[in-house]
């Protein structure tokens, strides 16, 4: 095993080195930078008790003296892991190839096995890269693993990190898309496990990993059939109201809401919904009996001293009538209206009720955090 692989985690200056071409980041709405944001916001709560150094991103450490090659090699050597972000411009970057060479020099084959994360933003780009002689010369394995982060229908476009690919807002406030989140969590959890193991070997303070991000509030929103087009619009409404609530409550440390689409068939496959801080079911074309059956199913998955708050989102048709019932099985019904752009917004008369729902979510989250565990009792 190489010296770099055996180095104590506490001696690493960076826990990840991001190797990418700047035009690929700029050309896809700061995609790599937003990936960094999501790792920065969510990884620390998976490693409570372990002090994390920063991520090295291009431009974070401008060279003011010395030799560029030497500084670049030092930064790669002093990083715990290497992330490659592959799109068209990566293929033309000599510096990206040089970074990979430095990684192999210091981390050897074990580094490629355990500490290299290849993020494919484009299928054509990753296929081209892995077929090149230069790649085969550096990479010791013919079957080096890489993670697809491109759209299946448009394989040369990266999956949007945020719903609607809205990258204009502050990263920690955005609604993360399902397509990105599911693949991202696999990488995040793998990296967290490796850092935890390295910290344990070097006798660095380690606390048990939490079962859910301690700073993240997860609200599941049903996303079945045609309704799957609405959960992101609902998520944006929830996030907007949440931000207003957090600001008025002066919540410290900050808690960030993560609306997440959840198909009903996935609820069927889960024994419990222990990671839910709140649940939203959609009332669209369902009969009252069908909706009641789904409520019963969800309530059977919720555990803990205090069950997660739940509401029903009634999807209004243009010019349609509101539902006669304000509650179904003690679940409050909130009305959401078309916004004229294919999305939804909370009806004016129900805006306060949405804030009350989120206030209950906040209180439950605070109680769980004060108890020192995210596990139900």
């Amino acid at each position: 095993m190489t010296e770099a692989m055996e180095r104590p985690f506490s001696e690493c200056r960076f826990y990840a080195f991001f190797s990418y071409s700047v035009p690929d980041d700029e050309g896809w709405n700061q995609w790599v930078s937003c990936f960094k944001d999501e790792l920065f916001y969510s990884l620390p709560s998976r490693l409570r008790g372990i002090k994390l150094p920063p991520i090295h991103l291009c431009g974070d450490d401008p060279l003011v003296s010395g030799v560029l090659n030497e500084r670049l090699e030092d930064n790669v050597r002093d990083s715990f892991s290497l992330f490659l972000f592959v799109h068209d411009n990566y293929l033309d970057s000599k510096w990206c190839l040089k970074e990979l060479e430095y990684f192999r020099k210091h981390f050897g084959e074990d580094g490629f096995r355990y500490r290299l994360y290849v993020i494919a933003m484009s299928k054509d780009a990753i296929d081209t890269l892995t077929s090149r002689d230069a790649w085969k010369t550096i990479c010791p394995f013919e079957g080096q693993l890489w993670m697809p982060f491109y759209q299946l229908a448009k394989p040369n476009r990266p999956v949007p990190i945020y719903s609607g690919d809205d990258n204009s807002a502050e990263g920690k406030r955005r609604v993360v898309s399902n397509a990105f989140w599911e693949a991202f969590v696999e990488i995040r959890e793998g990296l967290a496990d490796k850092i935890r193991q390295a910290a344990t070997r070097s006798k660095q303070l380690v606390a048990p990993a939490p079962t859910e991000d301690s700073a993240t509030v997860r609200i599941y929103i049903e996303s079945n059939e045609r309704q799957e087009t609405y959960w992101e619009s609902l998520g944006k409404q929830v996030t907007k109201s949440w931000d207003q609530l957090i600001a008025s409550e002066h919540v410290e440390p900050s808690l960030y809401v993560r609306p997440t689409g959840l198909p009903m068939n996935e609820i069927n496959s889960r024994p419990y919904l222990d990671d839910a801080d709140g649940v939203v079911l959609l009332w669209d074309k369902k009969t009252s009996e069908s909706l009641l059956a789904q409520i019963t199913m969800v309530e059977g998955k919720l555990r803990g001293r205090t069950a997660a708050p739940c509401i029903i989102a009634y999807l209004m048709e243009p010019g349609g009538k509101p539902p006669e019932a304000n509650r179904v099985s003690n679940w409050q019904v909130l009305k959401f209206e078309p916004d004229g752009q294919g999305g939804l917004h909370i009806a004016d008369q129900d805006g306060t009720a949405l804030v009350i729902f989120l206030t209950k979510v906040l209180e439950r989250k605070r109680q769980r955090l004060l108890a020192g565990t995210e596990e139900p009792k």
Side-chain angles (χ1 to χ4, degrees):
M1 185 175 293
T2 66
E3 179 181 349
M5 286 292 293
E6 293 180 337
R7 181 186 298 116
F9 179 73
S10 57
E11 295 181 7
C12 294
R13 290 194 296 123
F14 310 103
Y15 73 79
F17 184 103
F18 277 22
S19 176
Y20 66 100
S21 173
V22 172
D24 285 337
D25 188 34
E26 296 174 343
W28 294 104
N29 225 352
Q30 307 299 314
W31 199 93
V32 178
S33 300
C34 292
F35 190 107
K36 177 199 174 185
D37 286 345
E38 290 307 311
L39 197 60
F40 173 82
Y41 296 135
S42 67
L43 185 64
S45 60
R46 306 298 294 153
L47 293 167
R48 289 184 294 184
I50 300 176
K51 183 178 180 180
L52 286 177
I55 298 171
H56 184 279
L57 192 66
C58 181
D60 284 350
D61 185 22
L63 184 66
V64 294
S65 64
V67 180
L68 179 59
N69 279 16
E70 294 176 355
R71 175 70 67 84
L72 185 64
E73 183 173 357
D74 288 345
N75 290 339
V76 172
R77 183 196 61 214
D78 292 342
S79 299
F80 180 80
S81 61
L82 179 70
F83 281 69
L84 307 186
F85 294 86
V86 182
H87 208 290
D88 294 342
N89 291 286
Y90 182 95
L91 302 175
D92 300 324
S93 173
K94 295 181 180 179
W95 286 114
C96 290
L97 193 64
K98 181 64 68 175
E99 289 161 357
L100 189 61
E101 289 178 357
Y102 290 145
F103 181 76
R104 176 164 185 173
K105 173 182 176 182
H106 292 286
F107 290 86
E109 293 187 3
D110 286 338
F112 279 76
R113 285 192 181 95
Y114 304 116
R115 298 191 185 180
L116 177 66
Y117 296 89
V118 183
I119 310 299
M121 299 167 60
S122 160
K123 188 176 187 305
D124 282 354
I126 192 67
D127 288 345
T128 300
L129 175 67
T130 54
S131 67
R132 286 182 172 178
D133 290 339
W135 171 268
K136 295 177 180 178
T137 299
I138 299 174
C139 181
F141 306 113
E142 183 176 346
Q144 180 70 47
L145 295 178
W146 48 268
M147 288 289 292
F149 274 83
Y150 49 77
Q151 302 178 38
L152 295 180
K154 300 175 181 178
N156 291 322
R157 298 185 184 183
V159 296
I161 295 182
Y162 304 110
S163 63
D165 204 19
D166 178 9
N167 290 319
S168 60
E170 186 181 6
K172 60 190 176 186
R173 301 291 188 183
R174 303 176 199 143
V175 180
V176 175
S177 72
N178 261 7
F180 173 80
W181 183 254
E182 292 176 0
F184 172 79
V185 167
E186 290 296 318
I187 289 179
R188 185 196 67 180
E189 293 303 285
L191 179 60
D193 287 343
K194 293 178 177 67
I195 290 176
R196 193 177 296 111
Q197 293 168 11
T200 301
R201 287 196 300 270
S202 61
K203 298 182 179 179
Q204 190 173 346
L205 177 63
V206 179
T211 59
E212 175 60 349
D213 298 345
S214 59
T216 300
V217 176
R218 189 168 302 285
I219 297 178
Y220 282 121
I221 301 175
E222 180 189 350
S223 58
N224 282 348
E225 299 175 354
R226 88 178 186 90
Q227 299 160 350
E228 67 185 7
T229 62
Y230 293 134
W231 82 262
E232 291 185 354
S233 296
L234 289 171
K236 289 181 179 180
Q237 286 291 302
V238 167
T239 301
K240 180 180 179 181
S241 296
W242 177 265
D243 287 348
Q244 294 170 349
L245 173 64
I246 291 299
S248 65
E249 293 278 338
H250 304 289
V251 175
E252 292 293 343
S254 297
L255 296 171
Y256 309 114
V257 71
R258 278 285 185 262
T260 305
L262 182 66
M264 290 302 297
N265 58 4
E266 185 175 338
I267 293 179
N268 276 325
S269 66
R270 292 189 181 195
Y272 300 105
L273 291 173
D274 289 345
D275 58 346
D277 293 303
V279 177
V280 180
L281 288 183
L282 306 186
W283 190 356
D284 186 14
K285 301 295 186 181
K286 301 171 186 171
T287 65
S288 297
E289 291 76 13
S290 174
L291 181 61
L292 183 58
Q294 291 185 348
I295 289 174
T296 301
M297 179 198 304
V298 171
E299 288 180 340
K301 307 286 184 177
L302 301 174
R303 305 184 297 173
R305 294 191 185 99
T306 304
C310 304
I311 59 171
I312 298 166
Y314 186 86
L315 309 182
M316 298 279 290
E317 296 285 352
K321 296 181 179 180
E324 294 182 2
N326 292 323
R327 290 183 177 275
V328 177
S329 186
N330 208 36
W331 285 38
Q332 188 169 10
V333 179
L334 304 188
K335 296 175 288 297
F336 289 81
E337 302 171 334
D339 62 7
Q341 300 177 347
L344 298 166
H345 65 84
I346 185 73
D348 291 341
Q349 63 269 33
D350 286 344
T352 300
L354 178 58
V355 173
I356 292 174
F357 163 69
L358 293 175
T359 301
K360 294 178 181 178
V361 170
L362 174 60
E363 181 58 30
R364 182 173 186 273
K365 184 70 175 184
R366 281 170 160 168
Q367 290 176 0
R368 298 174 76 186
L369 291 173
L370 286 173
T373 178
E374 291 288 339
E375 292 282 3
K377 299 297 184 181

